[in-house]
Amino acid sequence: MQGRGPAERTDRDETANGVKSARRAIAVLEVFAARTSWLSLAEMHEATGFPRSSLHGLLRTLRDAGWIDTDDTGTRFRLGMRALVCGTAYLDRDPVIPYATETLEKLREETGFTVHYARLAGSEVVYLETRESRSSDHLISRVGRSLPAHATALGKVLLAELSDGELTDLLPATLPARTEHTVTDREVLFSELTVIRDRGYATEWQEGTAGVACAAAAVPYRLPATDALSCSMPLSRTTEAEQHRVGALVHDAAGLLARHLRQAGIR
């Protein structure tokens, strides 16, 4: 039986595993997205493990296409304008966002707190829209920011939509801590998710951000729900009883938003 030629093997391998250069380009962009500072070629090599020669070519290509910028010396790099343009296009084309924005504005007026709309992406939640409290508590989470789902009320209420088997497959073996209050034990988290399912909303106290309490509810226009609403409350302005009162308000707002989305034919 005649073996496959080099070109045929390459084509089939790339079909099965994805295009190697594309995967590397995505990995490079994700490293930049996770860092806030300029990165050198050596730092990118350490972060990705890619050969320096390949990495240099990738960075040059991404720079020429506008996906990354270089500093005046041409030796350090960061995300470029194209990343912002494509990220904004995602929000512009999401039919949920106008409805979510209207709900957030009403919820902010009703509670007086900063409010958020987020979506589950793997084991993280990504913030799609936010409205800051008029009292300027500076609790705003930037649009596009992602946080571990297990460390946020937004994430927990969406994890509660999944079965224990799905959670076991989804979550990392070791849950990273964002603060000293973050739940990092899987069994403790699973027990908390059972309470959330029964109650209909999630709460957390300084687990995602020190000095901040949150309450969140899933928006069940899809099943299982992928999106959720939340309120962030500074500890100086809240109590546990107030947190649960806000949680009930968020739950009602999320249910109403889901009905509007389903009536509009959005899934």
Side-chain angles (χ1 to χ4, degrees):
M1 180 175 177
Q2 187 174 4
R4 290 181 294 161
E8 184 182 359
R9 286 196 299 270
T10 299
D11 288 345
R12 291 189 180 180
D13 290 343
E14 289 197 343
T15 298
N17 302 315
V19 178
K20 185 176 181 180
S21 59
R23 287 185 177 276
R24 285 186 169 181
I26 292 168
V28 165
L29 292 173
E30 289 182 341
V31 169
F32 283 120
R35 309 290 180 90
T36 58
S37 59
W38 292 91
L39 297 174
S40 66
L41 179 65
E43 290 169 325
M44 288 300 300
H45 170 68
E46 181 179 359
T48 63
F50 299 157
R52 289 173 184 263
S53 58
S54 299
L55 189 55
H56 187 272
L58 274 173
L59 293 174
R60 183 175 63 250
T61 300
L62 291 170
R63 179 203 62 199
D64 292 345
W67 281 90
I68 63 173
D69 292 332
T70 58
D71 66 1
D72 292 338
T73 67
T75 60
R76 295 190 302 164
F77 312 86
R78 68 179 180 188
L79 280 180
M81 188 67 71
R82 290 300 304 170
L84 174 61
V85 171
C86 287
T88 302
Y90 176 86
L91 294 176
D92 289 343
R93 288 159 177 77
D94 190 327
V96 172
I97 298 303
Y99 294 88
T101 299
E102 182 179 356
T103 298
L104 289 178
E105 290 174 349
K106 291 178 179 177
L107 191 57
R108 176 180 62 178
E109 296 305 313
E110 188 173 9
T111 65
F113 295 118
T114 297
V115 291
H116 313 284
Y117 190 82
R119 183 165 293 157
L120 188 66
S123 61
E124 297 184 324
V125 285
V126 180
Y127 289 81
L128 302 183
E129 188 62 281
T130 188
R131 286 293 182 273
E132 189 174 5
S133 166
R134 296 193 186 280
S135 61
S136 299
D137 294 308
H138 303 294
L139 298 177
I140 192 167
S141 289
R142 298 182 306 276
V143 171
R145 183 188 186 194
S146 63
L147 290 175
H150 72 276
T152 67
L154 278 165
K156 288 182 182 184
V157 79
L158 293 173
L159 292 178
E161 295 281 306
L162 305 177
S163 68
D164 285 354
E166 290 171 321
L167 291 168
T168 299
D169 293 338
L170 176 66
L171 296 172
T174 301
L175 302 177
R178 282 191 52 82
T179 75
E180 61 180 329
H181 302 283
T182 306
V183 173
T184 57
D185 184 289
R186 276 191 178 216
E187 295 305 315
V188 173
L189 176 64
F190 283 19
S191 295
E192 185 177 348
L193 296 181
T194 298
V195 174
I196 292 169
R197 292 182 188 110
D198 293 338
R199 189 173 57 198
Y201 61 87
T203 60
E204 57 96 349
W205 196 272
Q206 300 193 90
E207 292 184 47
T209 304
V212 178
C214 292
V219 181
Y221 72 102
R222 295 171 177 160
L223 295 176
T226 58
D227 301 2
L229 294 168
S230 78
C231 278
S232 295
M233 299 160 272
L235 297 191
S236 60
R237 290 182 53 203
T238 195
T239 62
E240 186 175 351
E242 174 69 359
Q243 185 184 30
H244 285 286
R245 184 188 74 83
V246 170
L249 292 175
V250 174
H251 177 266
D252 291 345
L256 183 59
L257 174 57
R259 287 196 293 274
H260 289 162
L261 293 173
R262 288 195 298 267
Q263 289 168 0
I266 299 172
R267 292 289 189 274

